[in-house]
Amino acid sequence: MTQRARIYADNAATSQMSEAAKKAMTQTMEDCFGNASSLHKEGRQAAAVLSKSRKIMAEYLNAEPREIYFTSGGSESVNQAVMTGVKFALAKNKKHIISTKIEHHAVLHTLGKLEKQGFEITLLGVGGNGIVNPAELGNAVREDTAFVTVMYANNEIGTIQPLEEIGQICKERQIMLHTDAVQAGGHINIDVLKENIDMLSLSAHKFNGPKGAGVLYCRKNITPERLIWGGAHEGGRRAGTENIPGIASMAAAFEENCLNIEKNAGYILKLRDRLISGLSKIPGAVVNGDLKNRLPGNVNMCFEGVEGEALLLMLDMRGIAASSGSACTSGSLDPSHVLLAIGRSHEVAHGSLRLSLSHYNTDEEIDYITETVPKLVETLRNMSPVWEKIQKNKK
Ligand SMILES: *Cc1c(COP(=O)(O)O)cnc(C)c1O
């Protein structure tokens, strides 16, 4: 077999750093090692990088620089946002929180902890299309509802949620709204003002930035709850010497991606749709999640009678990096909570494959994936007692 270059199609798990992000990181490491809290020249240089990065992050969210808090990534931002929601609830003597069944575990596990502490949590279901119905959210609101957290775009099936409508409901009912926008940031346009978003979480490594850097946007009338106590960094809301190279690199990646959103999305969307239509020819294949309100790079399909993990490993041997769901759930044998929420059976959900594309993917790569997956699905089905049974039952 001739050696071919690897194909990376797992951008929802993490993305490769852009040249702009790498350059910003190495340059900052070389030229700007100071502590942003120091008063001398080196410190002032670091503080200037911090302030420039804050301005960039704010600009492309339609926020103000003072509303941007730097964190270590998506999970930390989400945790801080939820705990800020809790602080708001306690201040108003309320105890009801609304979220969805398709959230990332960063949200679901934090809410699980709160439930044990006496908060009441409603997790909204989604339709077969993987999208929350805003009317259902409106109906779930109670007198004692204080906080809503709904993700912007889903990490497994790529569905984009109706944040503007959700934001409107929360504004009218004076409920605090957070959105986990880790999959959306740098990939689709976000406007926190237009969408009435109070808090929003981002993670740099999901938009071609580095790992270990993230943002919590927090509307100016809200003081985020501290998770980490110590110095007066980040307006006293997040202690710890700032990760200047990571933050500068994140801002460079975000700016570049946001300036190219239309161009990249148009390009990636064509690859995605070609891949979906190619793989849909596989007998018994189903696409998971809405086809229209969907991240440009997300392909998620189920192939009945196939073990997703086995397919993933065989693809890996053929040079294709994919995922069988979210990276956090692989390693466990439970089927994806997102696929179950859109109504897939346990058996079908086990045969899921996620290919998440970026602007670094090429037409030629899509051709190769489209040729390879059907062969592997057939090989696996020929070895599968489950598939044999399904075929028998159909007769
Ligand atoms: C990746 C991801 C997170 C967690 O971000 P980290 O930077 O890995 O902590 C949270 N939410 C969603 C939707 C994600 O995709």
Side-chain angles (χ1 to χ4, degrees):
M1 209 163 44
T2 52
Q3 201 64 32
R4 76 178 329 283
R6 297 275 306 170
I7 297 174
Y8 189 73
D10 200 13
N11 289 278
T14 196
S15 58
Q16 57 185 302
M17 282 173 72
S18 64
E19 288 310 314
K22 286 184 216 168
K23 198 171 142 215
M25 174 163 277
T26 48
Q27 260 186 5
T28 313
M29 288 194 294
E30 278 169 16
D31 306 338
C32 190
F33 65 88
N35 183 325
S37 305
S38 304
L39 295 177
H40 45 63
K41 187 174 176 196
E42 287 79 359
R44 290 197 306 273
Q45 279 172 340
V49 169
L50 200 56
S51 136
K52 183 177 158 217
S53 306
R54 208 182 300 282
K55 237 172 97 186
I56 292 172
M57 297 308 297
E59 183 179 343
Y60 295 100
L61 294 171
N62 197 18
E64 291 176 28
R66 62 174 161 155
E67 296 173 319
I68 301 296
Y69 297 85
F70 292 120
T71 68
S72 68
S75 300
E76 185 189 327
S77 296
V78 164
N79 271 261
Q80 189 164 12
V82 173
M83 294 319 289
T84 305
V86 162
K87 187 175 71 169
F88 179 72
L90 291 173
K92 297 206 148 195
N93 213 5
K94 295 182 174 183
K95 58 167 199 272
H96 185 227
I97 298 172
I98 302 174
S99 187
T100 81
K101 288 186 178 161
I102 63 165
E103 296 299 307
H104 188 273
H105 284 141
V107 169
L108 289 178
H109 290 170
T110 311
L111 294 179
K113 180 191 82 161
L114 292 170
E115 194 163 37
K116 289 203 188 94
Q117 294 172 356
F119 284 87
E120 288 176 28
I121 317 283
T122 300
L123 295 181
L124 300 171
V126 289
N129 60 0
I131 294 175
V132 175
N133 179 355
E136 228 171 275
L137 172 79
N139 291 337
V141 171
R142 313 191 314 209
E143 275 301 303
D144 63 342
T145 306
F147 179 56
V148 167
T149 176
V150 174
M151 72 198 319
Y152 207 108
N154 183 265
N155 47 303
E156 294 189 37
I157 58 175
T159 48
I160 299 168
Q161 305 303 323
L163 254 297
E164 198 172 341
E165 283 152 281
I166 292 170
Q168 197 56 41
I169 295 169
C170 291
K171 188 185 174 187
E172 280 161 17
R173 312 290 286 264
Q174 296 184 329
I175 297 165
M176 191 181 275
L177 170 65
H178 166 252
T179 182
D180 171 354
V182 171
Q183 289 290 329
H187 301 287
I188 53 175
N189 287 312
I190 297 174
D191 185 328
V192 290
L193 279 189
K194 188 169 141 231
E195 290 154 346
N196 280 305
I197 293 166
D198 295 313
M199 292 185 285
L200 173 143
S201 297
L202 294 178
S203 181
H205 73 99
K206 302 284 175 78
F207 52 77
N208 307 106
K211 283 148 190 76
V215 155
L216 172 65
Y217 153 80
C218 201
R219 194 189 285 276
K220 56 186 175 245
N221 59 337
I222 300 169
T223 312
E225 173 71 336
R226 284 187 198 90
L227 294 188
I228 300 175
W229 296 69
H233 314 86
E234 297 301 297
R237 310 321 296 172
R238 201 278 187 184
T241 303
E242 300 86 351
N243 170 11
I244 304 289
I247 290 166
S249 175
M250 166 166 66
F254 197 58
E255 177 160 54
E256 186 181 51
N257 272 26
C258 288
L259 286 172
N260 291 296
I261 275 187
E262 262 83 38
K263 185 175 122 230
N264 287 344
Y267 172 76
I268 302 166
L269 207 130
K270 274 198 202 120
L271 298 182
R272 178 198 77 186
D273 289 346
R274 219 155 60 71
L275 186 53
I276 290 180
S277 77
L279 299 185
S280 295
K281 296 196 181 103
I282 296 173
V286 283
V287 181
N288 296 312
D290 196 75
L291 280 171
K292 202 165 136 274
N293 294 309
R294 187 183 193 95
L295 289 172
N298 179 285
V299 176
N300 190 313
M301 300 181 70
C302 285
F303 308 107
E304 212 181 357
V306 167
E307 198 56 63
E309 254 82 76
L311 179 57
L312 181 67
L313 295 175
M314 289 175 85
L315 283 168
D316 186 35
M317 288 195 293
R318 279 158 187 76
I320 301 167
S323 160
S324 66
S326 83
C328 320
T329 34
S330 45
S332 84
L333 276 175
D334 291 334
S336 143
H337 65 284
V338 176
L339 296 180
L340 295 181
I342 63 168
R344 299 280 176 247
S345 67
H346 278 246
E347 293 74 43
V348 171
H350 269 303
S352 74
L353 175 69
R354 179 186 72 185
L355 295 152
S356 42
L357 309 173
S358 80
H359 56 284
Y360 295 118
N361 290 117
T362 64
D363 269 309
E364 189 270 329
E365 291 180 341
I366 299 305
D367 291 339
Y368 180 70
I369 302 174
T370 311
E371 281 164 32
T372 308
V373 174
K375 288 184 206 155
L376 298 183
V377 167
E378 197 184 337
T379 307
L380 286 168
R381 279 178 174 169
N382 286 339
M383 311 189 302
S384 156
V386 179
W387 181 246
E388 206 177 313
K389 216 171 98 194
I390 294 168
Q391 294 309 96
K392 264 193 201 139
N393 288 345
K394 276 185 186 153
K395 280 188 190 140

